[in-house]
């Protein structure tokens, strides 16, 4: 079969007795062709077994029909769900999705960007590594449509999808204050990236609104992974005047925090209340069932992909920042189910 | 910059005062070029900022430097970790990884295979959907190197990576028998695919070895997702003569099983013991801490990618089936930590 001469678009045109332009218009669906004519062309394509050569097509139109997704780690459920959302949209467009994990290493990120650029991916959805704005501007990405996720790139004129980090955090912290907590520990991920900085604002706002001074000793910075969560929680829980509640900025960190709590022999929620960002399939069956700030992860992926395909169609559209809403889900890990409704209503009155 | 004429391979050759063939040999590292000459060519490439056009290259060599990974669902942690393993290897080869989710829908699977074939991906790692062997043989995939994961394709002459399902299951079931269980419920995924069938063999072997008859009423078939696990567990736990232990074939199903157990007001492990295939980050912090048959998911991905790149180099190598070992991790969900060592040693004696 490979020895046969390939069927070309000219062969199809001859077979259907139309012009090459008409065959192209039918295949790309980018110009009006009468249903009868389109049907004839499709029949000829089928009869001859014509298969468009993507390399040849790419050479001419510089469209690869691939997009890239560059994220810290697909194994973090936050990004797993985003990837699935992106892929479902990509699939409906008959595009391929190329995935790269940076491990938050700017060098790896650069390598992926160059790889995708050299393969002429049409677009890229990216959660940039820390402090990488500058080099992003330096990269020769003129032909690559970009959408930022989780970290805002709107100042660079790049479409961005993220959540209302500040409100989401403020709501959670106010819930803890409402339950009587005054010393609330915070374990953050890397400083300088949007989610960390915005959640710090939400934390501070909630405390200040209720006249509680921010104690820097109660804020730990750690790697947004299980081990980071464990270290951060351990650091705060071994303070002489330890917090009575912990807020973790990431759904993987909370696993580490639960380890630290168990290791120190503390009981959750009786001795230490716990809230984290990110809901996941396991949270509702854990004991205690975790109270969380849920992010619409799958939807972040979908929206990012929609913005990207929109950008590919309308290169001149003004950049847009989409903020999706978080959802505060109260379960058991703050012990609110153990309190009398009276105590709560007294506070909120 | 985009208005400038692109630098071509001829420009590089002229700049370095060598032939185009020499530049090509240096770039593709496929012919001997003296170190001095190679150095001169590389300097010219750098000086001119020459960037190889992948479309043009693909047209000539039919190598896309992309591989595909087609799996049921990246959101199942089993496949998430495999994807990460595949991607880490792909990355070291400077290849791109294209990911597709089939949701175990053979039509979606076919669409991905055609998409990858038309984009001329060099290779494909695939967990085939049920009963799809036949159409896989019919597909025109002559130019696509294939590796099967989780489901054996060795009979089709296709390299395969999977785990020792039978031994893994037998060990877990014997652990339950050792703890005194005689009525052991099994919730399986789709019938007809390798892991289901092999694990059924392991289940049967363990029971028969200990003179326990297989009761078909204790085997439920369900979707390998949270909801399937819940339905399957509910079906078995509401039997008049209900099992005292459950074995779930998947790490997402166990979440559903835990829901069903809670819903029916049963206590685990006191009233119902629980084991599942797949370990995950959350298993050790769940209450009870889950006893699991751990699969080396990341390693499955790595090995599959290694086999694929090996195949791309040596098309004629004999097909190989790689079986990785599972690891039985005893935690708390079977209650073995509640039994006296005496009871166990009496049984094993």
């Amino acid at each position: 079969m490979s020895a046969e001469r390939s069927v070309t678009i000219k062969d199809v045109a001859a077979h259907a007795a139309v012009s090459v332009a008409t065959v192209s218009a039918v295949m790309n669906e980018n110009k009006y062709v009468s249903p009868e004519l389109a049907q004839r062309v499709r029949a000829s394509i089928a009869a001859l077994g014509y298969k468009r050569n993507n390399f040849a097509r790419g050479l001419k139109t510089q469209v690869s029909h691939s997009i890239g997704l560059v994220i810290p780690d697909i194994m973090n459920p936050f990004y797993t769900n985003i990837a699935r959302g992106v892929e479902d949209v990509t699939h409906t467009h008959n595009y391929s999705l190329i995935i790269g994990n940076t491990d938050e290493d700017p060098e790896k990120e650069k390598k992926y960007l160059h790889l995708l650029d050299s393969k002429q991916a049409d677009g890229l959805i990216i959660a940039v590594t820390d402090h990488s704005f500058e080099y992003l501007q330096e990269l020769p990405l003129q032909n690559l449509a970009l959408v930022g996720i989780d970290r805002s790139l709107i100042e660079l004129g790049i479409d961005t999808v993220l959540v209302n980090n500040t409100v989401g955090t403020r709501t959670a912290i106010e819930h803890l204050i409402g339950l009587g907590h005054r010393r609330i520990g915070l374990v953050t991920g890397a400083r300088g990236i949007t989610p960390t900085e915005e959640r710090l604002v939400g934390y501070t706002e909630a405390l200040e609104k209720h006249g509680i001074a921010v104690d820097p000793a109660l804020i730990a910075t750690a790697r947004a992974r299980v081990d980071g969560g464990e270290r951060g929680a351990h650091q705060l829980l071994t303070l002489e005047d330890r917090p009575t509640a912990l807020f973790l900025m990431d759904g993987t960190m909370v696993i580490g925090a639960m380890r630290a709590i168990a290791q120190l022999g503390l009981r959750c929620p009786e001795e230490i209340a716990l809230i984290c960002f990110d809901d996941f399939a396991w949270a509702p069956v854990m004991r205690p069932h975790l109270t969380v700030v849920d992010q619409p992860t799958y939807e972040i992926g979908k929206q990012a992909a929609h913005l990207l395909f929109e950008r590919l169609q309308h290169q001149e559209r003004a950049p847009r920042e989409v903020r999706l809403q978080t959802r505060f889900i109260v379960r058991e890990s703050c012990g609110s189910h153990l309190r009398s409704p009276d105590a709560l209503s007294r506070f909120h009155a």
Side-chain angles (χ1 to χ4, degrees), chain A:
Chain A
M1 189 172 152
S2 56
E4 280 179 45
R5 187 180 73 85
S6 300
V7 175
T8 68
I9 192 166
K10 281 188 193 170
D11 299 329
V12 176
H15 189 273
V18 298
S19 69
V20 166
T22 302
V23 178
S24 169
V26 169
M27 289 197 312
N28 295 313
E29 299 181 58
N30 58 4
K31 258 182 235 135
Y32 177 77
V33 178
S34 76
E36 295 76 8
L37 215 53
Q39 179 50 37
R40 211 163 81 207
V41 170
R42 280 195 211 97
S44 294
I45 288 172
L48 299 178
Y50 173 62
K51 210 158 92 180
R52 158 159 46 185
N53 184 319
N54 263 288
F55 288 115
R57 192 154 60 108
L59 196 61
K60 198 163 170 193
T61 65
Q62 297 296 327
V63 169
S64 70
H65 288 273
S66 305
I67 66 167
L69 174 65
V70 174
I71 51 180
D73 184 4
I74 188 102
M75 295 211 283
N76 183 332
F78 175 72
Y79 290 112
T80 315
N81 295 1
I82 285 178
R84 181 69 214 238
V86 170
E87 206 275 307
D88 281 353
V89 173
T90 308
H91 178 70
T92 64
H93 286 264
N94 282 320
Y95 269 57
S96 294
L97 178 64
I98 297 169
I99 289 190
N101 299 290
T102 64
D103 294 314
E104 291 177 45
D105 172 355
E107 287 309 311
K108 248 183 126 178
E109 181 173 323
K110 270 187 223 177
K111 200 175 156 197
Y112 279 117
L113 291 175
H114 283 297
L115 190 70
L116 289 169
D117 197 37
S118 72
K119 278 187 196 298
Q120 293 155 347
D122 301 322
L124 177 63
I125 296 171
I126 184 167
V128 294
T129 54
D130 331 27
H131 317 297
S132 54
F133 287 14
E134 281 155 31
Y135 92 82
L136 203 60
Q137 281 175 295
E138 288 160 14
L139 281 175
L141 298 170
Q142 294 92 339
N143 298 316
L144 208 56
L146 280 179
V147 173
I149 47 170
D150 201 39
R151 294 97 202 259
S152 183
L153 300 177
I154 193 74
E155 283 172 37
L156 302 181
I158 296 171
D159 293 326
T160 299
V161 181
L162 64 179
V163 301
N164 60 343
N165 289 298
T166 307
V167 175
T169 306
R170 204 169 53 208
T171 305
I173 301 299
E174 286 204 73
H175 177 76
L176 289 169
I177 297 172
L179 292 169
H181 294 280
R182 289 295 174 274
R183 290 188 65 73
I184 300 170
L186 182 68
V187 185
T188 82
R191 294 298 304 262
I193 58 174
T194 313
T196 304
E197 297 307 319
E198 292 187 345
R199 290 170 199 178
L200 267 167
V201 170
Y203 172 80
T204 307
E205 283 180 1
L207 293 182
E208 285 178 351
K209 183 175 162 194
H210 293 273
I212 304 170
V214 173
D215 179 355
L218 291 182
I219 301 174
T221 304
R223 219 167 78 100
R225 298 285 171 90
V226 176
D227 60 346
E230 184 165 358
R231 255 194 297 279
H234 194 272
Q235 176 189 323
L236 299 182
L237 293 176
T238 50
L239 287 174
E240 205 160 317
D241 188 9
R242 67 169 172 78
T244 59
L246 280 188
F247 184 80
L248 282 294
M249 278 208 189
D250 176 284
T252 62
M253 287 175 120
V254 80
I255 300 170
M258 289 182 81
R259 277 200 213 153
I261 289 169
Q263 200 187 317
L264 294 167
L266 294 169
R267 283 172 309 143
C268 170
E270 293 83 353
E271 292 169 289
I272 181 79
L274 200 60
I275 303 185
C276 72
F277 245 81
D278 299 333
D279 197 22
F280 35 85
W282 290 270
V285 292
M286 288 171 96
R287 297 254 181 80
H289 302 181
L290 278 179
T291 292
V292 300
V293 181
D294 182 28
Q295 303 192 69
T297 43
Y298 178 80
E299 195 61 27
I300 292 171
K302 269 187 86 167
Q303 294 275 345
H306 283 313
L307 281 182
L308 189 64
F309 283 105
E310 221 181 276
R311 171 68 59 201
L312 290 172
Q313 298 273 319
H314 309 285
Q315 305 229 351
E316 303 309 321
R317 154 168 88 55
R320 201 185 298 157
E321 182 179 271
V322 174
R323 287 266 175 186
L324 298 175
Q325 301 304 302
T326 55
R327 200 162 53 105
F328 187 50
I329 304 175
V330 177
R331 295 199 186 101
E332 300 173 353
S333 61
C334 300
S336 55
H337 62 298
L338 305 174
R339 312 275 171 138
S340 73
D342 268 13
L344 276 174
S345 61
R346 264 200 309 278
F347 178 87
H348 285 297

